[in-house]
């Protein structure tokens, strides 16, 4: 057990906590009242409202000063234990907790560095893959542009040929019409010839 607690005896008594606070004047008054009540009846308890009323009304300033003196004397008797925390941790416990915190912090930082490294590698891989896909798409785009230029040239050639053919057909149609009209005229003349003979 810690040095702040009294050791339990073999008979099974409970360990009492070390007193670290001084009982104030009113507390000293309550202790005095408790002693008086227990002299009359060992199992009796102090009636707090009556003790408070007695403190406020009946206790003279001289008695209060005496209680203040008792309080100061109790503080002096406590010495180093006055307001000393009972549950102060030993240096070994503090060191082990500090080591655990340090280890946890190191592990957390290691995980953060690993996550950052993986993220950078992932970004690098993704950017390389994206660049490869982009280069492939640009290659396809360039071939399509070349094919488009070739097809536009062929289209222009075909449209010029088509316009020439349309023009030629138009001229042939005119010439054909002229031949037809000449033939018709000759046929009419020949009809007239047959009638006259």
């Amino acid at each position: 057990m810690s040095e702040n607690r009294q050791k339990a005896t073999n008979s099974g008594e409970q360990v009492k906590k070390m007193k670290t606070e001084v009982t104030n004047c009113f507390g000293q008054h309550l202790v005095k009242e408790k002693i008086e009540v227990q002299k009359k009846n060992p199992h009796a308890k102090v009636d707090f409202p009556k003790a408070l009323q007695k403190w406020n009304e009946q206790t003279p300033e001289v008695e209060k000063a005496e209680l203040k003196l008792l309080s100061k004397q109790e503080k002096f008797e406590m010495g180093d234990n006055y307001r000393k925390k009972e549950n102060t941790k030993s240096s070994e416990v503090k060191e082990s907790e500090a080591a655990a915190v340090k280890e946890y912090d190191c592990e957390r930082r290691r995980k953060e560095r690993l996550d950052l490294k993986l993220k950078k590698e992932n970004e690098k891989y993704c950017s390389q893959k994206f660049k490869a896909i982009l280069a492939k798409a640009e290659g396809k785009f360039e071939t399509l542009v070349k094919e488009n230029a070739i097809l536009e040239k062929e289209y222009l050639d075909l449209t010029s040929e088509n316009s020439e053919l349309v023009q030629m057909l138009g001229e042939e149609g005119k010439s054909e019409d002229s031949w037809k009209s000449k033939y018709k005229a000759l046929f009419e003349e020949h009809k007239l010839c047959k009638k006259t003979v």
Side-chain angles (χ1 to χ4, degrees):
M1 297 195 141
S2 68
E3 46 188 54
N4 295 342
R5 294 186 180 189
Q6 297 175 355
K7 293 185 178 180
T9 60
N10 292 338
S11 61
E13 292 178 6
Q14 291 184 350
V15 177
K16 291 185 178 180
K17 291 185 178 181
M18 178 184 66
K19 192 170 181 179
T20 58
E21 290 293 326
V22 177
T23 309
N24 62 12
C25 303
F26 180 67
Q28 295 288 352
H29 171 71
L30 287 176
V31 169
K32 212 175 193 186
E33 287 288 320
K34 185 177 181 180
I35 290 171
E36 287 177 14
V37 169
Q38 285 185 348
K39 280 181 185 176
K40 296 176 185 174
N41 183 2
H43 300 291
K45 292 185 179 181
V46 177
D47 187 12
F48 185 79
K50 285 183 182 178
L52 182 62
Q53 185 179 8
K54 186 176 179 185
W55 171 259
N56 289 331
E57 295 173 0
Q58 298 174 357
T59 308
E61 291 300 320
V62 177
E63 193 174 327
K64 285 184 181 179
E66 184 183 314
L67 294 174
K68 285 181 184 179
L69 185 64
L70 280 174
S71 181
K72 286 182 182 179
Q73 185 180 1
E74 186 178 346
K75 179 180 175 182
F76 180 74
E77 287 173 1
M78 280 186 177
D80 291 339
N81 291 337
Y82 177 65
R83 292 199 173 166
K84 183 178 181 181
K85 290 188 178 179
E86 184 178 356
N87 59 352
T88 54
K89 297 176 182 175
S90 67
S91 61
E92 292 176 6
V93 173
K94 287 180 183 178
E95 288 175 8
S96 66
E97 285 181 358
V101 168
K102 188 175 181 180
E103 184 179 334
Y104 172 78
D105 195 38
C106 288
E107 183 67 21
R108 181 184 55 81
R109 286 183 187 162
R110 187 187 67 76
K111 284 182 181 179
E112 285 176 358
R113 286 192 301 270
L114 182 64
D115 288 344
L116 184 64
K117 182 180 175 184
L118 290 175
K119 188 177 180 182
K120 284 182 180 179
E121 287 176 358
N122 191 22
E123 286 177 2
K124 186 178 178 182
Y125 173 74
C126 288
S127 65
Q128 288 174 348
K129 194 169 186 177
F130 175 74
K131 286 177 183 176
I133 292 170
L134 185 64
K136 191 176 180 181
E138 285 175 346
K140 284 183 180 180
F141 176 73
E142 288 175 5
T143 56
L144 288 174
V145 168
K146 288 177 184 176
E147 287 178 12
N148 187 32
I150 292 169
L151 289 174
E152 282 181 356
K153 188 177 178 185
E154 287 179 8
Y155 173 74
L156 290 173
D157 291 343
L158 289 173
T159 53
S160 64
E161 281 182 29
N162 188 27
S163 62
E164 287 176 8
L165 289 173
V166 167
Q167 192 176 11
M168 287 174 66
L169 283 173
E171 289 175 5
E172 281 183 17
K174 285 181 184 176
S175 65
E176 204 176 285
D177 285 340
S178 65
W179 280 104
K180 281 183 182 179
S181 60
K182 286 179 184 176
Y183 179 74
K184 204 175 192 182
L186 282 173
F187 183 74
E188 292 291 323
E189 277 181 36
H190 184 65
K191 264 188 181 180
L192 290 174
C193 289
K194 284 185 181 182
K195 287 183 181 178
T196 52
V197 181

